[in-house]
Amino acid sequence: MTVSSTISSTTTSAATALQLEGISRRIGARTILEDLDLTVSPGECLALLGPSGCGKSSTLRLISGLDSPDRGRILLGERDITALPPARRQVAMVFQSYALYPHLSVARNLSLGMEIRGVDAATIARDLDAVLELLQLGELRQRRPADLSGGQRQRVALARALLRRPQVFLLDEPMSNLDAQLREELRPQLRAILCGGGAPVVYVTHDQQEAMGIADRIAVLDAGRLQQCGTARELYHRPATLFVAQFIGRPQINVLQEPDGSLLAVRPEHLHAVREGGLQVRVVSREWQGASQQLQLDTARGPLRWVCDGGRSIGDAVRIAWEPQHEHRFAAGGRRLTA
Amino acid sequence: MGVVLIGPALLLLLLVFLWPMASYLWLSFHAQNLFTDLQPVPVGMLNWHRLVLDARFWQDAAQTLRFALVSVSLELGLGLAMALLLNQRWRGRGLVRSLTLLPWALPTTVMALGWRWIFNDPSGPINGVIAGLTGSTLPFLASPSLAWLAVVFADVWKTTPFVALLLLAGLQMIPADLYEALALEGGSARQALLRITLPLLRPYLLLVLLFRLAQALGVFDLIVVLTGGGPASSTESVAGYAYLNAMRFLDFGYSATVMIGMFGVLLLLGGVLLLVLRRPARA
């Protein structure tokens, strides 16, 4: 039996889906979440993506029981857990701050929860050794959190979540305190560790690269409302709202006003130069990015962004066009129009 | 460079602390009283011999220690409870926080005069209640077994808010997400108190303990106003005895010896406390 399966064995046996039904949350007059429906299957990793203040962290707090919804239900399999206190939900959360106990060593940080739950000493010792080995924390077991690097703290927080043997994993921007390179290195590891256990994983981030890299599906939130929930491909190729179109993809999608008041959106990477026809543009500025360059264009229909690999210079006059299948059309209110 | 930077602070410390201490230590080996025309005359260990054999000094030392231990324990317990309460969210908390500080803001002499009236036998309000219930009154300030409790009571009333304030500051330094993490791990409120609050409050508790012990062992003004050290010097503190020697008997040499002797006791106590309590909780 491998180390990771030792830790995850109990989560696999009891794997159930997490379901949010019509969740609403208000604080005073402010709407935090409005009528949110989400389902996360066993073993699936769902990313909650959105700008700060969109309600993604609030959703985690509702799932964990640290906050209660004003309306709606939270289900684990068949069980309604909406009214359960956090201590009885069997939910593990990795906090953005990691929330490690500063006065305890790594080993005691990890074993405290098990002690509290009355796990017997032999099991504690066995699980502790297993998780320390899995996350390569063995040599740090006597250190205090203050003596650990950001990446090490994150691993301890993750280990603590694993030892909870949760029915749901919640992660609140677990990578935001790490540098960019470490983030990319950790993504596949984190994914392997989290999703192997069979519990649903909800991963909050504001970084679309991270969401795409780690999640099976992505739920995009804006101002407390679910904009779209789907795979990264779906969000990129068929954004349901203008917000999703603009939030997913870098550089940001071009939006052109149509005569009838609707909006036409085309991604900068889907523009190409043509000999005749198309749109007459002039290159205003450019950023060289290695494999491609990003151009700012001036056109009769307003400014555009263009990602191309050719050697264009500032001041060049070009004609550009795009394929019809790359057009996204939205109503003035932001809803998608095209099929 | 370092010496230059801490120089001003060091100078101040030498001036207001070490110099008076040194001159008191010097004075304790001299007689300076009415028989020497208030001039210091070297007498070797005479004052110290007298101190060791002085039953009143040892009685006062025991009384001062008893007062300090009992009142500081009560203040820490009540102050911790108060701080925990004031750290919760509830309506009107801000107002109550300000109100609780009032006793501490009151000058000691003023509040001691107030308590002297409240404890008055037979016309104080406490005895009014007791008389209404039992028909007799209690001589709070005239009975040796009650007077020291009255002093403790007044001191606890006055300084508990100060303890609560310091501990509240410590409580607010504890990040809320630690409690949330423990709750998600299945922890109860009691476990949160024992596993998170108290260990992380430990440095603050130690600080308050040292602060309050040092203050309580030097208690003077409260006792002078409330009981005058009586009845029969049963509430007299060491500081009060030193004051008596210097200001009533004009025996400055012996007064200095009493003070230095008490300082030695204090130093010993503080050192032991630091050794016992400063060790961090076992990891």
Side-chain angles (χ1 to χ4, degrees):
Chain A
M1 192 186 249
T2 65
V3 174
S4 62
S5 66
T6 312
I7 294 296
S8 51
S9 54
T10 44
T11 53
T12 332
S13 61
T16 46
L18 170 73
Q19 203 177 341
L20 272 60
E21 279 183 6
I23 294 288
S24 294
R25 176 76 177 115
R26 279 187 189 74
I27 294 177
R30 218 157 57 89
T31 298
I32 307 296
L33 284 173
E34 183 67 45
D35 204 21
L36 178 66
D37 291 306
L38 279 178
T39 304
V40 194
S41 315
E44 184 188 29
C45 178
L46 177 82
L48 291 180
L49 180 65
S52 53
C54 71
K56 50 193 193 306
S57 292
S58 307
T59 308
L60 279 201
R61 294 183 67 81
L62 293 174
I63 299 172
S64 64
L66 296 172
D67 192 11
S68 329
D70 297 316
R71 264 192 294 119
R73 296 199 305 162
I74 302 168
L75 301 167
L76 252 182
E78 298 293 302
R79 202 159 61 107
D80 187 339
I81 61 165
T82 319
L84 278 188
R88 292 180 46 210
R89 287 201 185 191
Q90 240 184 303
V91 159
M93 179 140 137
V94 174
F95 291 74
Q96 187 174 3
S97 63
Y98 307 138
L100 301 178
Y101 310 121
H103 54 299
L104 300 178
S105 66
V106 167
R108 293 275 290 123
N109 256 284
L110 296 179
S111 62
L112 182 60
M114 292 189 283
E115 285 170 31
I116 279 174
R117 293 191 295 276
V119 177
D120 65 276
T123 311
I124 290 180
R126 199 197 66 213
D127 284 4
L128 187 62
D129 288 340
V131 85
L132 286 171
E133 194 185 325
L134 175 68
L135 291 167
Q136 296 149 31
L137 289 166
E139 285 169 16
L140 306 175
R141 60 187 299 157
Q142 294 309 326
R143 297 251 196 107
R144 299 281 176 99
D147 303 323
L148 301 177
S149 71
Q152 291 167 338
R153 279 179 214 176
Q154 196 237 26
R155 276 176 7 234
V156 177
L158 193 60
R160 188 170 67 178
L162 286 172
L163 289 170
R164 179 74 176 100
R165 298 172 179 276
Q167 298 210 300
V168 181
F169 271 114
L170 306 174
L171 296 99
D172 190 2
E173 310 229 11
M175 304 261 210
S176 62
N177 293 324
L178 307 179
D179 62 66
Q181 197 192 337
L182 193 56
R183 269 200 292 244
E184 277 187 31
E185 280 174 27
L186 284 176
R187 259 184 235 153
Q189 289 182 31
L190 191 59
R191 207 193 129 72
I193 290 167
L194 287 175
C195 301
V201 179
V202 183
Y203 189 105
V204 161
T205 178
H206 63 266
D207 179 349
Q208 52 169 309
Q209 296 295 333
E210 202 173 303
M212 290 180 187
I214 219 157
D216 300 304
R217 282 187 306 141
I218 300 172
V220 180
L221 288 172
D222 181 43
R225 283 168 198 276
L226 180 64
Q227 301 289 311
Q228 187 174 5
C229 186
T231 63
R233 277 168 191 279
E234 284 165 11
L235 298 186
Y236 179 82
H237 289 299
R238 278 188 55 84
T241 66
L242 183 62
F243 178 85
V244 175
Q246 289 182 316
F247 198 79
I248 302 283
R250 283 286 168 278
Q252 208 180 50
I253 199 165
N254 293 303
V255 181
L256 298 169
Q257 192 87 39
E258 292 283 76
D260 64 355
S262 67
L263 300 164
L264 168 66
V266 186
R267 298 207 177 272
E269 54 273 32
H270 291 152
L271 303 181
H272 55 84
V274 288
R275 292 255 163 78
E276 288 167 6
L279 191 60
Q280 177 70 47
V281 305
R282 201 172 53 80
V283 177
V284 178
S285 70
R286 64 174 189 173
E287 266 176 44
W288 188 79
Q289 293 178 329
S292 65
Q293 55 180 342
Q294 185 184 332
L295 305 178
Q296 290 289 333
L297 308 176
D298 192 23
T299 78
R301 298 185 64 180
L304 288 180
R305 285 170 291 273
W306 183 19
V307 174
C308 69
D309 46 10
R312 312 280 170 188
S313 321
I314 291 173
D316 282 3
V318 200
R319 302 194 74 85
I320 56 156
W322 54 86
E323 302 302 322
Q325 75 261 28
H326 287 141
E327 286 183 350
H328 306 278
R329 290 186 180 275
F330 299 98
R335 285 253 148 251
R336 186 180 185 88
L337 288 175
T338 44
Chain B
M1 189 60 193
V3 177
V4 176
L5 285 176
I6 62 164
L10 207 62
L11 200 71
L12 204 69
L13 204 68
L14 284 174
L15 218 68
V16 304
F17 182 70
L18 276 183
W19 181 68
M21 285 303 293
S23 52
Y24 256 51
L25 189 62
W26 178 83
L27 200 57
S28 74
F29 297 105
H30 293 73
Q32 185 183 13
N33 51 39
L34 289 173
F35 300 106
T36 68
D37 289 329
L38 298 181
Q39 294 307 308
V41 174
V43 289
M45 295 299 289
L46 200 66
N47 284 326
W48 286 99
H49 278 141
R50 183 178 157 195
L51 187 76
V52 171
L53 299 175
D54 186 349
R56 184 159 175 185
F57 169 76
W58 292 112
Q59 186 200 324
D60 288 355
Q63 281 165 191
T64 309
L65 212 61
R66 179 181 63 176
F67 163 78
L69 292 180
V70 173
S71 57
V72 171
S73 310
L74 287 172
E75 282 155 21
L76 270 182
L78 292 172
L80 179 63
M82 212 155 131
L84 288 171
L85 197 66
L86 290 175
N87 198 35
Q88 303 293 316
R89 283 174 202 285
W90 38 278
R91 276 176 81 93
R93 176 180 69 166
L95 182 73
V96 175
R97 268 190 194 174
S98 326
L99 283 178
T100 47
L101 264 182
L102 274 182
W104 183 63
L106 219 57
T108 307
T109 42
V110 174
M111 77 100 191
L113 279 172
W115 280 108
R116 199 162 84 178
W117 162 241
I118 293 170
F119 283 128
N120 186 283
D121 179 26
S123 32
I126 295 186
N127 267 321
V129 173
I130 293 177
L133 291 175
T134 66
S136 61
T137 60
L138 284 174
F140 286 113
L141 300 178
S143 140
S145 55
L146 288 177
W148 82 275
L149 286 174
V151 174
V152 166
F153 194 92
D155 190 66
V156 168
W157 180 82
K158 180 173 166 57
T159 31
T160 297
F162 172 71
V163 172
L165 186 75
L166 283 182
L167 295 183
L168 183 61
L171 285 177
Q172 288 181 336
M173 295 299 288
I174 303 177
D177 55 13
L178 296 185
Y179 294 106
E180 296 177 348
L182 195 79
L184 285 175
E185 292 205 87
S188 62
R190 200 181 127 264
Q191 282 162 334
L193 179 72
L194 294 177
R195 305 290 195 151
I196 296 177
T197 309
L198 290 181
L200 290 177
L201 208 55
R202 189 189 174 87
Y204 293 85
L205 286 165
L206 180 59
L207 179 85
V208 171
L209 187 65
L210 285 178
F211 254 53
R212 281 300 307 138
L213 267 186
Q215 267 182 344
L217 288 169
V219 62
F220 176 70
D221 45 1
L222 169 68
I223 291 177
V224 167
V225 178
L226 192 58
T227 65
S233 73
S234 67
T235 57
E236 187 172 83
S237 68
V238 174
Y241 187 46
Y243 171 84
L244 206 68
N245 274 298
M247 293 319 198
R248 183 153 319 155
F249 310 144
L250 295 179
D251 194 344
F252 297 101
Y254 189 58
S255 172
T257 315
V258 170
M259 286 312 279
I260 296 288
M262 192 58 195
F263 182 69
V265 173
L266 224 160
L267 221 55
L268 209 70
L269 200 72
V272 169
L273 268 176
L274 272 178
L275 271 181
V276 173
L277 296 173
R278 206 167 170 196
R279 267 182 324 191
R282 200 180 57 82

